[in-house]
Amino acid sequence: MSTQAAPPGAASFSPWPAVAGAVALLTVTISLLLTAFAWPSVRSSVHDVPIAVAGPAPAVKQLTAVLDRRLPDGFEVTEVADAAAAEQLIRDRKVYGAIDLSSGTPQVITASAGSTAVAQALNTLAAGLTKPPGANTEVTARDLVPLPADDPRGAGLAAAALPLVMGGLLTALLLPRLVRGSAHRIIGAFAFAITGGLAVAAILQFWFGSLDGSYWANSAAVALTVAATSLTVLGLASLLGYAGFGLGAATMVLIGNPLSGTATAPEMLPGWSGTLGQLLPPGAGGRLLRSTSFFNGHDATHPATVLTAWLTLGTVLYVAGSLRTRPTGSVTNTVAQPAKQTTI
């Protein structure tokens, strides 16, 4: 008795419910990607941005009231006596800018190296205050900490955020395939962080002209960012497998990068998202690099601590995953060896 064979290729077609499921998954994925990358930019606004106002107390209170009317909850004002105190707060990265009322001519002091978006907002505000009631003087603007002349818009620093994250992910993806041995992979990850930091800082500083300050400090900031990202994802992948890699990649790319505030400022992101972004490697790395490049290392302690914490966590997770008993070696060997045929 013979049976009729199924037509060639008949079993290669997926059932329509599977097609519908794949389409639904892709739709959800693209929606999540759009939300993750577009929502922070679309909802970005000036709120609780720290600035200083210098001058006599009555004038400061009057200007603060004007700011509250024009931009409700837009600024968190620190009152200081004179322009020198305001400038020191800017250099220490305690505030993004200042309005000086201590001299005869009102002056807006910005720091475009700290945030071009905030500097633009303050300059726009200065234009709106050019003719205050009862005054004939015009408000002037001065950039205390400008961006480099070769990159006055800060495009290089903003664009570097995603490649730094991707560099960390590539480390976690390729090292386990190219290098054998847990210790060798850890050393390889640290070595790449160092060489990658040197290379990226050199490109940004000497080729693009996007960075100032100490090249070695900038290289260390980039290296710490790459190391924190790569070791975190490596640790999660070592402990949880592919699910861990996916969790780490999603955290860094879909959450950390859009909420880093590198292109604008953390305070301009909606709600609590800016604060969250500064607790993740992309946001902390961007802030650290601004500090080393433009502000002589001021305000570097917090982002460096965040990155070190992620680096330590990732190393602990990787060691824990490596020490866990995995019977994969015997399984792999069994699969790799051809089956012995028994002859009778």
Side-chain angles (χ1 to χ4, degrees):
M1 182 177 64
S2 63
T3 58
Q4 185 176 3
S12 62
F13 296 105
S14 299
W16 289 114
V19 176
V23 171
L25 177 61
L26 292 172
T27 304
V28 171
T29 301
I30 196 174
S31 300
L32 289 175
L33 288 172
L34 175 63
T35 302
F37 284 93
W39 174 69
S41 299
V42 171
R43 292 292 182 261
S44 178
S45 63
V46 177
H47 59 86
D48 295 329
V49 173
I51 65 170
V53 178
V60 170
K61 294 186 182 301
Q62 183 179 3
L63 179 61
T64 301
V66 173
L67 296 178
D68 287 337
R69 287 196 302 269
R70 296 198 175 187
L71 286 173
D73 300 323
F75 297 101
E76 183 180 298
V77 176
T78 299
E79 300 181 11
V80 294
D82 51 32
E87 291 178 2
Q88 189 60 48
L89 288 177
I90 294 174
R91 291 192 174 96
D92 291 342
R93 300 208 73 188
K94 303 297 183 183
V95 298
Y96 282 96
I99 301 176
D100 178 26
L101 305 175
S102 61
S103 60
T105 302
Q107 185 179 66
V108 172
I109 307 173
T110 61
S112 58
S115 171
T116 54
V118 174
Q120 291 171 0
L122 287 174
N123 286 329
T124 302
L125 180 65
L129 296 175
T130 51
K131 293 182 179 180
N136 296 322
T137 56
E138 292 187 352
V139 177
T140 60
R142 176 165 60 94
D143 197 346
L144 181 66
V145 188
L147 286 162
D150 291 338
D151 188 9
R153 296 179 295 117
L157 184 59
L162 184 58
L164 290 182
V165 174
M166 297 307 297
L169 294 183
L170 286 175
T171 305
L173 181 64
L174 295 179
L175 270 183
R177 290 162 174 77
L178 300 177
V179 178
R180 289 182 294 179
S182 299
H184 290 72
R185 290 171 182 170
I186 291 288
I187 294 174
F190 278 106
F192 166 69
I194 295 172
T195 58
L198 293 170
V200 170
I203 292 171
L204 289 175
Q205 189 157 352
F206 302 128
W207 184 7
F208 296 166
S210 300
L211 301 179
D212 281 336
S214 168
Y215 165 69
W216 302 108
N218 295 335
S219 300
V222 176
L224 186 56
T225 304
V226 174
T229 303
S230 59
L231 264 298
T232 298
V233 181
L234 265 175
L236 289 170
S238 175
L239 196 63
L240 303 175
Y242 288 113
F245 180 85
L247 176 62
T251 301
M252 301 301 173
V253 177
L254 299 183
I255 300 177
N257 188 69
L259 302 185
S260 66
T262 303
T264 55
E267 292 82 2
M268 297 189 71
L269 298 177
W272 44 263
S273 59
T275 301
L276 174 61
Q278 294 303 294
L279 296 176
L280 296 173
R287 191 170 188 87
L288 179 60
L289 188 55
R290 283 189 187 274
S291 295
T292 59
S293 179
F294 304 115
F295 295 92
N296 294 321
H298 291 292
D299 191 41
T301 302
H302 179 265
T305 302
V306 170
L307 292 171
T308 302
W310 281 102
L311 174 61
T312 304
L313 175 63
T315 304
V316 171
L317 292 177
Y318 188 82
V319 172
S322 300
L323 294 178
R324 190 176 59 181
T325 302
R326 296 179 182 176
T328 55
S330 60
V331 175
T332 304
N333 292 337
T334 303
V335 173
Q337 293 177 354
K340 295 181 179 180
Q341 294 184 357
T342 304
T343 57
I344 300 178

